[in-house]
Amino acid sequence: GQDGHGDVEAVLARCEHVIEETYHTKANQQAMMETFRAFTSMDPYGRLVVTASTQVPFHVRRIIAHALDIPKAKVRVIKPRIGGGFGAKQTVVAEVYPAIVTWLTGRPAKIVYSRYESQIASSPRHEMEVKVRLGADKDGIIKAIDLYTLSNTGAYGEHGPTTVGLSGHKSIPLYGKAEAFRFTYDVVYTNRMSAGAYRGYGATQGLFAVESAVNELADRLHMDPVHLREINMVREGDVMPAYYGETAASCALDRCMARAKEMMDWDRKFPARDMGNGKVRGVGVAMSMQGSAISGVDVGSVTLKLNDDGFYTLMIGAADMGTGCDTTLAQIAADCLCCDLDNIVVHGVDTDVSPYDSGSYASSTAYLTGGAVVKTCDSMIEKILEKGAEYLEAPADQVDFDGKKVYRLDGTGEISLKDIGNRAMCGNGSALEVTESNTSPTSPPPFMVGMAEVEVDRQTGAVKLLNYAAVVDCGTPINPNLTRIQTEGGLAQGIGMALYEDVNYSPKGQVRENSLMQYKIPTRLDVGNIQVEFESSYERTGPFGAKSIGEVVINTPSPAIASAVAHAAGVQIRELPITAEKVFRGICQHSHLET
């Protein structure tokens, strides 16, 4: 595939400085707490009921109906509370097996993957090799970006054609001054475990390459990488040719950078400080962006019912996988309806009764389904006003609703929401129930800046992450506690990818790291001191000004940590993870060259 703008070769030829390097990210496991699992049974009407740990209940229904060659009407999918997904559960990894057993035998069946099975037979991150050519003028203005991505999809093309696109579309647009860009890619089948979706979805791999190349450009220019970004970064109101021609209508990237600089005490620590005991501390920086749902494709829907006694039922088609969307969406509804959160009942997805939602992926839930909640509540309030006016025997434009009651504007009468709910149970000709869908023609990107401080032991090459400062622009955060936890969790996963998580294969293509003993994910003790702040922007297409948060937060650790290590040890690591062996070997080569 190819995407581009302007004549890259001509612009590169005019550039005073050109960086040309190749970066390599390996496969990563999502390692969610709850492994893959599903159970199936036949209901009294001869339909197949699938209860699954999934992010995409409606896709599960479609895939199982196709796999068994039965009508979709015969399949019901239920998603209860589940324990983590991170993209792994965006692929129907386990559900088909018990479904076949139940359909053929009529008996209930279940499958629960062990951690070993989850490690060797799931859908990990795509391994990618990304070649970057960056051209800049003498002042450091980046004029041309040329990206070539080679993606390893494993034995099957699950998510193969889509993931690779994000490696360019979510990295190149950060640099708004480029006169020309080119993004080309290939996806190859290999005898490896099939790859799938993992938080960041290709952007993570592309941003490791592009942000590392920008950091190497800064080092070559003897320029502070913060300053280099300040003169090149996309700003609010800029059109982004590399991001489908969208405009950055909400963008606080400049404020994120300024805030992170203060939090890290950057000017005092940059580039490195020798601690005098063979240990050197260095700092590094990176930016990232992502999207908010897939524009023009994804659908978010909710159904809202007013019940007797005046409480509401909110039926959501989006899957909460520990992301807290059931809470966030209920909060949006409570705000719109002027009621307490306790007055809204939310339950998990059931494809028989939930409205259609394309699923919880692509950072779409708060932005897209949240927008559907706002629409639905507006329609519900109209219905409540009509019904209240009918009971008060007043014209609809002569009443108002405050969340508790409908009252006449002239103060001559009122009826409580509880009474409306109860009266509507008898002799009523219009249901107090509303469903609305939401889709978006644009996908406004959230932005982020991450800064890392590491300590490198020059005797052994060991790297220790001391501090990580992160500032996120996710529009206006709806639930600040949840956005903070999302950020901290994403950073921990990004730090694991940068420093610890290493995948190797046997000659037959089997993964050697088949347990959490071998596949090292960081604990709370391994991630250093993480500080998270927010710089709000207002995204008018999102609910209450919100953009997405889920994925943008995983992308900055790898390039920021790699650059911090380069400043501390003089060694640029271009293949993840950044291990002591690689750093030590680099230090040895470096000193060998000097002697």
Side-chain angles (χ1 to χ4, degrees):
Q2 181 162 0
D3 181 22
H5 175 80
D7 186 339
V8 164
E9 296 299 339
V11 178
L12 279 170
R14 292 202 307 269
C15 288
E16 272 89 350
H17 303 278
V18 177
I19 293 273
E20 184 169 335
E21 294 293 349
T22 300
Y23 302 88
H24 182 199
T25 61
K26 295 188 177 182
N28 295 115
Q29 273 292 357
Q30 296 88 345
M32 58 281 159
M33 287 169 93
E34 179 193 54
T35 57
F36 300 93
R37 58 200 57 206
F39 55 89
T40 53
S41 60
M42 297 301 286
D43 76 4
Y45 305 100
R47 295 173 72 230
L48 178 68
V49 181
V50 181
T51 305
S53 183
T54 180
Q55 294 169 232
V56 286
F58 288 93
H59 288 316
V60 173
R61 178 173 70 181
R62 171 177 59 81
I63 290 165
I64 283 183
H66 284 310
L68 298 181
D69 199 20
I70 61 177
K72 286 183 189 166
K74 291 272 186 201
V75 183
R76 176 186 185 185
V77 179
I78 297 170
K79 180 218 71 85
R81 290 257 174 213
I82 71 169
F86 307 117
K89 294 171 184 174
Q90 209 179 307
T91 306
V92 178
V93 171
E95 291 87 336
V96 165
Y97 308 115
I100 292 170
V101 171
T102 296
W103 191 252
L104 292 180
T105 66
R107 306 290 297 276
K110 75 171 177 178
I111 190 166
V112 177
Y113 276 36
S114 63
R115 182 58 64 183
Y116 167 73
E117 288 163 333
S118 288
Q119 287 290 111
I120 64 156
S122 60
S123 49
R125 189 185 289 287
H126 289 73
E127 175 187 22
M128 289 188 193
E129 190 177 88
V130 184
K131 184 180 173 189
V132 186
R133 293 162 77 209
L134 273 190
D137 66 13
K138 60 183 191 317
D139 301 320
I141 301 293
I142 295 168
K143 296 287 191 184
I145 303 173
D146 187 12
L147 212 65
Y148 170 69
T149 302
L150 181 64
S151 176
N152 178 359
T153 190
Y156 302 96
E158 181 81 49
H159 295 275
T162 45
T163 310
V164 71
L166 274 67
S167 65
H169 293 139
K170 303 283 200 278
S171 56
I172 300 169
L174 284 170
Y175 296 94
K177 305 267 195 309
E179 290 168 19
F181 76 88
R182 180 171 59 197
F183 171 40
T184 50
Y185 51 85
D186 288 307
V187 181
V188 290
Y189 290 110
T190 57
N191 291 325
R192 294 272 191 267
M193 191 190 336
S194 175
Y198 180 5
R199 191 180 202 161
Y201 200 79
T204 317
Q205 297 93 308
L207 282 159
F208 170 60
V210 169
E211 289 300 280
S212 290
V214 170
N215 285 328
E216 293 195 53
L217 174 66
D219 292 344
R220 195 172 295 182
L221 291 167
H222 303 293
M223 187 188 281
D224 184 330
V226 168
H227 178 65
L228 182 65
R229 284 178 173 82
E230 284 169 345
I231 61 176
N232 282 292
M233 67 170 63
V234 63
R235 289 176 185 262
E236 194 158 283
D238 289 359
V239 175
M240 301 176 282
Y243 191 68
Y244 321 109
E246 283 191 26
T247 300
S250 60
C251 174
L253 196 51
D254 49 347
R255 285 185 278 129
C256 291
M257 185 65 80
R259 184 90 170 265
K261 206 174 158 178
E262 283 171 22
M263 287 159 65
M264 183 51 81
D265 196 3
W266 179 267
D267 290 337
R268 193 172 66 85
K269 294 176 177 177
F270 173 79
R273 298 175 295 157
D274 195 324
M275 306 313 284
N277 52 358
K279 294 181 177 171
V280 183
R281 291 183 179 182
V283 288
V285 61
M287 307 191 299
S288 79
M289 62 181 284
Q290 198 82 32
S292 304
I294 304 172
S295 58
V297 176
D298 285 343
V299 178
S301 310
V302 294
T303 297
L304 184 67
K305 276 198 305 195
L306 177 65
N307 305 291
D308 36 348
D309 277 2
F311 74 96
Y312 300 97
T313 313
L314 184 66
M315 287 187 278
I316 299 168
D320 191 332
M321 47 170 161
T323 44
C325 75
D326 287 358
T327 306
T328 308
L329 296 172
Q331 283 179 311
I332 293 174
D335 198 289
C336 292
L337 297 164
C338 308
C339 69
D340 290 340
L341 199 56
D342 291 346
N343 209 40
I344 296 176
V345 176
V346 177
H347 44 81
V349 186
D350 177 338
T351 57
D352 274 9
V353 294
S354 300
Y356 177 77
D357 191 294
S358 42
S360 297
Y361 58 84
S363 304
S364 66
T365 313
Y367 173 73
L368 200 70
T369 312
V373 173
V374 174
K375 270 185 171 176
T376 308
C377 293
D378 287 347
S379 301
M380 175 58 86
I381 289 167
E382 278 178 38
K383 288 204 164 213
I384 290 170
L385 284 169
E386 279 170 28
K387 190 50 70 181
E390 180 191 319
Y391 292 150
L392 290 171
E393 296 173 357
D397 60 356
Q398 297 296 304
V399 298
D400 205 355
F401 174 57
D402 65 2
K404 298 267 193 296
K405 61 185 182 298
V406 173
Y407 57 92
R408 283 175 173 241
L409 292 173
D410 63 10
T412 57
E414 60 177 58
I415 180 169
S416 70
L417 188 64
K418 178 177 177 175
D419 288 345
I420 292 173
N422 288 335
R423 266 187 78 172
M425 302 282 127
C426 295
N428 175 24
S430 61
L432 292 171
E433 180 170 342
V434 185
T435 303
E436 296 283 358
S437 276
N438 189 35
T439 186
S440 176
T442 59
S443 176
F447 296 96
M448 171 177 186
V449 171
M451 289 184 178
E453 182 180 18
V454 302
E455 184 171 83
V456 177
D457 185 332
R458 292 186 62 94
Q459 254 89 58
T460 63
V463 178
K464 187 176 180 202
L465 179 62
L466 303 175
N467 291 298
Y468 202 92
V471 187
V472 188
D473 159 24
C474 59
T476 306
I478 289 174
N479 181 324
N481 288 337
L482 278 175
T483 46
R484 181 173 302 279
I485 289 164
Q486 282 272 23
T487 308
E488 290 170 0
L491 289 172
Q493 285 181 315
I495 290 163
M497 177 181 175
L499 293 173
Y500 305 109
E501 299 172 35
D502 201 0
V503 167
N504 297 282
Y505 301 92
S506 73
K508 284 181 159 180
Q510 291 157 315
V511 180
R512 294 198 193 274
E513 286 73 20
N514 57 22
S515 76
L516 293 183
M517 281 293 280
Q518 277 85 25
Y519 187 77
K520 301 206 180 302
I521 59 174
T523 66
R524 182 64 195 85
L525 300 174
D526 302 312
V527 293
N529 173 37
I530 294 179
Q531 282 178 285
V532 174
E533 299 289 344
F534 295 92
E535 278 293 338
S536 293
S537 63
Y538 187 82
E539 175 51 51
R540 53 172 196 76
T541 66
F544 299 102
K547 294 188 286 195
S548 77
I549 181 82
E551 293 179 281
V552 70
V553 293
I554 199 173
N555 299 328
T556 56
S558 300
I561 291 168
S563 184
V565 169
H567 292 148
V571 180
Q572 182 76 42
I573 305 292
R574 300 186 185 95
E575 181 192 68
L576 297 177
I578 302 161
T579 59
E581 294 88 334
K582 289 177 192 171
V583 176
F584 182 70
R585 213 170 286 142
I587 291 172
C588 291
Q589 278 174 343
H590 207 68
S591 55
H592 182 66
L593 290 172
E594 283 172 4
T595 53

